[in-house]
Amino acid sequence: MTLLNTAQTNRTVDAQLQGVSSLPVALPADRAIAADAEMLSAQLHAMRNRLFPPTAQKTLRKFTSGEAAKLIGVSDGYLRQLSIAGEGPQPETGSGGRRLYTLAEINALRRHLAEAGGAKAKTYLPHRDPSANEHMQVIAVTNFKGGSGKTTTSAHLAQHLAMAGFRVLAVDLDPQASMSALFGYQPELDLTGNDTLYGAIRYDGERRLLRDIICKTYFDGLDLIPGNLELQEFEHTTPQMLADRQHGTQSVEQQLFFARVQAALDTVADDYDVVVIDCPPQLGFLTLSALCAATSVLVTVHPQMLDVASMSQFLFMTADLLAVVREAGGELNFDFMRYLITRFEPNDAPQQQIAGFLRSLFGERVLTNSVVKSTAFSDAGLTKQTLYEVSRDSFTRATYDRAFESLTSVNSEIQGLIFKAWNRPG
């Protein structure tokens, strides 16, 4: 029985109990925890139904003509001219003649402008060109210490790249599935089994094509491979596979664990420009597989001494394990590896010292920009949204602008590194 099925069984047993938390009779620990999980899941489901009625599905807000023009890289006046001339998709016109565009319409405008050709075609539509050796970028976002902003970084980076016109695949490789929740999925309710990346990398006959697992999102140009508890099965089945291989009870043709994620992603490479992987907060077989599939790596760092000390151990362990993988035939060639300082408080002197220490130590391998600590992220998270999804009017303007500028600066810097890997002007 898998971990996911075990959890579902416990929930089924205890779901029949009414007012479990007030029962005078003590439950076994597993059932008490399962009952708590059931109650929490039910409340989260009810919350989602309230936030996103009537279908309980998330949608992306529309963008003003000014926002659309900035995303495309043209002037607002030029967009107005296109609209008057009837060229490209026609925006919704609101009160006072205000023009509003969906992200799908913005991408349609990009395609319309790119079809005219010329030197700016790739600026409007930045899809990679395989004929120019522009390979699919696979960016693994990792750190095995929780609270470093790994999921926040992954989700916002994927959304930023989608809004910039890239074809993006977000992969939730964390069994806790926080990124999936941000994209509107409640894993224990919306996923039934064999519909995470594990379904495409498992060792038995139930393996599925990755293409059949990928889910569309409400972000045009951004697809998702959701996560849930079944991902943990890979951590359990891989040691058995390695043992069987060592004892000759499994065919040597069976792909080793570190090549399976890359092999799965290769099957959909023609459909995407960038893959963003949110790795688990641990250095297990899933994380190692993601690192072996990655063309680039982001290590998120909270600028506190304990976090930096933890990162030191993470780097030692990663180096040792990747050396073993390399000796076993794994290819480890990163276009770039960068450390990203997250939850940064510029007015905090100790954090400034830690950030300066990291920059003096690693130089350009630390991203120039940092993600600032802001209540805007947690406020947006109350409705399972990112900063790119919420309206600026929902916040104190200065708070929102500070956080948004920080995020955009970081993600634009990463976008520049992608262009550099493709030998393309930024």
Side-chain angles (χ1 to χ4, degrees):
M1 182 179 292
T2 66
L3 288 174
L4 185 60
N5 290 336
T6 301
Q8 289 171 338
T9 300
N10 284 337
R11 288 200 298 272
T12 301
V13 169
D14 291 311
Q16 300 170 5
L17 299 174
Q18 297 296 321
V20 131
S21 60
S22 60
L23 288 176
V25 179
L27 291 172
D30 62 323
R31 294 207 173 182
I33 292 171
D36 286 350
E38 178 67 29
M39 288 189 292
L40 179 58
S41 176
Q43 287 302 310
L44 289 172
H45 184 54
M47 184 185 299
R48 182 175 69 171
N49 286 335
R50 289 196 302 270
L51 290 172
F52 309 112
T55 61
Q57 295 296 314
K58 293 184 70 175
T59 57
L60 181 60
R61 68 179 179 88
K62 294 184 177 180
F63 297 86
T64 67
S65 58
E67 289 175 318
K70 189 173 182 180
L71 286 172
I72 297 171
V74 297
S75 68
D76 192 7
Y78 184 55
L79 278 193
R80 187 181 298 109
Q81 291 175 12
L82 290 176
S83 178
I84 293 172
E87 294 185 38
Q90 295 304 299
E92 172 190 323
T93 304
S95 58
R98 191 183 190 203
R99 289 169 292 120
L100 297 172
Y101 294 83
T102 65
L103 183 55
E105 289 167 344
I106 291 172
N107 285 331
L109 275 170
R110 285 190 170 106
R111 290 190 290 271
H112 173 75
L113 294 172
E115 284 171 2
K120 295 192 70 175
K122 276 194 175 182
T123 302
Y124 295 133
L125 200 65
H127 294 178
R128 67 189 182 89
D129 182 2
S131 65
N133 293 320
E134 294 180 350
H135 55 269
M136 181 175 70
Q137 274 291 318
V138 181
I139 303 175
V141 184
T142 185
N143 196 329
F144 72 179
K145 186 170 177 63
S148 64
K150 180 175 56 62
T151 297
T152 300
T153 298
S154 302
H156 283 92
L157 175 59
Q159 291 181 351
H160 168 90
L161 293 172
M163 292 191 297
F166 294 90
R167 300 168 300 166
V168 183
L169 176 63
V171 181
D172 192 348
L173 210 57
D174 187 348
Q176 297 177 83
S178 299
M179 185 162 71
S180 300
L182 267 178
F183 280 102
Y185 285 85
Q186 192 168 341
E188 71 275 15
L189 296 179
D190 299 330
L191 305 180
T192 57
N194 216 28
D195 40 13
T196 68
L197 186 64
Y198 177 66
I201 62 175
R202 60 191 302 161
Y203 300 100
D204 58 24
E206 294 185 40
R207 188 164 67 249
R208 299 175 62 193
L209 293 174
L210 187 64
R211 193 177 303 279
D212 296 334
I213 296 172
I214 293 171
C215 303
K216 294 292 181 183
T217 73
Y218 51 93
F219 258 80
D220 189 67
L222 173 55
D223 295 340
L224 172 71
I225 299 176
N228 70 5
L229 285 174
E230 77 173 13
L231 285 165
Q232 198 64 26
E233 291 298 311
F234 192 67
E235 304 292 348
H236 299 154
T237 56
T238 296
Q240 184 60 52
M241 183 277 296
L242 293 172
D244 290 346
R245 186 184 181 93
Q246 186 175 8
H247 293 108
T249 57
Q250 187 177 61
S251 170
V252 293
E253 282 76 26
Q254 177 73 279
Q255 215 168 33
L256 279 168
F257 77 90
F258 57 77
R260 300 180 83 79
V261 172
Q262 181 177 344
L265 292 176
D266 284 345
T267 64
V268 296
D270 291 343
D271 301 328
Y272 299 101
D273 305 306
V274 184
V275 177
V276 179
I277 304 178
D278 183 21
C279 294
Q282 62 191 44
L283 199 54
F285 293 114
L286 280 171
T287 300
L288 279 173
S289 300
L291 290 173
C292 290
T295 61
S296 306
V297 176
L298 285 177
V299 180
T300 53
V301 188
H302 182 213
Q304 297 277 8
M305 184 52 72
L306 287 179
D307 293 76
V308 172
S310 172
M311 187 182 77
S312 171
Q313 298 307 302
F314 169 75
L315 293 176
F316 273 123
M317 290 174 62
T318 303
D320 289 344
L321 291 169
L322 288 181
V324 174
V325 168
R326 178 170 49 79
E327 290 168 5
E331 293 186 10
L332 301 170
N333 298 308
F334 298 145
D335 290 329
F336 62 85
M337 177 178 174
R338 293 292 186 273
Y339 300 100
L340 169 61
I341 296 173
T342 60
R343 297 173 58 210
F344 180 53
E345 298 179 72
N347 296 324
D348 186 314
Q351 288 201 16
Q352 284 186 337
Q353 289 181 348
I354 295 294
F357 166 72
L358 290 172
R359 295 188 192 284
S360 65
L361 203 61
F362 297 127
E364 66 174 14
R365 294 201 302 281
V366 180
L367 289 178
T368 302
N369 297 285
S370 306
V371 179
V372 298
K373 183 178 181 180
S374 173
T375 57
F377 295 110
S378 53
D379 287 347
L382 285 173
T383 52
K384 291 185 180 178
Q385 291 180 294
T386 67
L387 217 59
Y388 290 137
E389 298 175 64
V390 294
S391 169
R392 184 170 179 256
D393 297 334
S394 305
F395 297 88
T396 303
R397 295 290 179 89
T399 301
Y400 175 88
D401 290 345
R402 177 172 170 268
F404 187 90
E405 181 182 349
S406 162
L407 262 182
T408 302
S409 297
V410 165
N411 290 330
S412 296
E413 187 175 353
I414 296 169
Q415 182 178 324
L417 291 171
I418 294 172
F419 284 148
K420 184 177 180 181
W422 288 342
N423 293 315
R424 189 193 297 187

